[in-house]
Amino acid sequence: MTLRLGYGTNGLTDLRLDDALGLLADLGYDGVGLTLDHMHLDPLAPDLAERTRRVARRLSGLGLGVAVETGARYVLDPRRKHGPSLLDPDPEARAARTGLLVRAVEVAAGLGAHAVHCFSGVTPPDTSTDTAWQRLTGALTPVLDAAAREGVPLAIEPEPGHLLGTLAGFHHLRTLLGDPEPLGLTLDIGHCQCLEPEPPADCVKQAAPWLRHVQIEDMRRGVHEHLPFGDGEIDFPPVLEALAATGYAGLTVVELPRHSHAGPELARASIDFLRRAAPGVTGGDAPC
């Protein structure tokens, strides 16, 4: 099976969305990880439905697939990074994040996306672990209902430092929720290198039944810093071959959210690197 490669718009924030999509198509990417944010399909815009239709037409015209990502730093609160979260002590604040994710599911359905990505958030101070998990399950329930209704899986990402920070945490959440069909996993390959006990290729094999979205970048053990390929420690050929062997049909999206200043060049270098790393599973040569 050939992997479908994408690039995240959170690494192209200096480009207009139309320009970013055109760039990725020209470079030979199969799709895009579209982060809903003020500069790229603002999820709080009053004309979101019409904007979504325009983006859907643009994606179709370029032949690009899409996954919807929800990691915008300040889309809900201009003063708190990723705030409020699904773990916020204030029920109304948690509801705001839940509402954003429900809207993301609806946007994803309008775009024909293969998944909606999300994460748990950091456990607030003076909050017990049990309380944090209770908040998370309660806040996700309406999102999972929307995902079931729209036919778009919700793919939660283990994020270093978050309540749900590892693959073990994902399985704990599945158990707490009763293993709902719409709940899947976003596997970030760099995060596997950062903190999982098994090598990234083994993490891919273990996660295979629940894979709904994949993010990829280089990283070093114990340091949560998204790095361009070749700047970290990951041996990529076994990882890419393991991904292809799972039969995963969604996008494998390069995630370099702190590198927008060099986004176009890194988008080109990234697809070239991945094609060289595993030419049998990453779509062959770059276009002329």
Side-chain angles (χ1 to χ4, degrees), residues 107-183:
V107 168
L111 296 177
H114 71 78
V116 172
H117 148 279
C118 70
F119 43 64
S120 69
V122 176
T123 303
D126 303 320
T127 301
S128 72
T129 300
D130 286 346
T131 295
W133 283 109
Q134 289 170 8
R135 289 176 185 167
L136 181 60
T137 56
L140 282 178
T141 297
V143 188
L144 291 166
D145 290 343
R149 183 171 62 250
E150 300 290 351
V152 180
L154 183 70
I156 193 163
E157 177 186 7
E159 184 80 21
H162 285 210
L163 173 69
L164 198 162
T166 62
L167 289 172
F170 168 72
H171 292 303
H172 182 60
L173 177 66
R174 283 199 310 117
T175 300
L176 290 175
L177 288 168
D179 201 14
E181 192 278 333
L183 180 65

Side-chain angles (χ1 to χ4, degrees), residues 205-216:
K205 297 170 187 175
Q206 294 167 11
W210 302 278
L211 279 183
R212 301 296 180 268
H213 186 41
V214 175
Q215 297 171 341
I216 193 166

Side-chain angles (χ1 to χ4, degrees), residues 9 15-22 32 34 39-41 55 58:
T9 59
L15 276 67
R16 297 177 184 87
L17 182 56
D18 273 0
D19 292 339
L21 298 178
V32 59
L34 176 56
M39 79 296 288
H40 290 157
L41 196 52
V55 173
R58 177 69 167 153

Side-chain angles (χ1 to χ4, degrees), residues 7 216-220 225-234 236 254-263 265-267 269-270 273-274:
Y7 199 91
I216 193 166
E217 68 285 316
D218 217 338
M219 204 168 285
R220 300 186 183 98
E225 181 182 3
H226 291 235
L227 300 172
F229 297 114
D231 289 359
E233 301 170 339
I234 298 176
F236 281 98
V254 178
E255 189 184 26
L256 293 172
R258 297 187 178 182
H259 292 77
S260 281
H261 63 283
E265 173 56 25
L266 280 172
S270 295
F273 177 94
L274 292 170

Side-chain angles (χ1 to χ4, degrees), residues 36 67 80 84 98 117 138 161 192 225 228 261:
L36 303 183
R80 285 193 299 161
T98 294
H117 148 279
C192 296
E225 181 182 3
H261 63 283

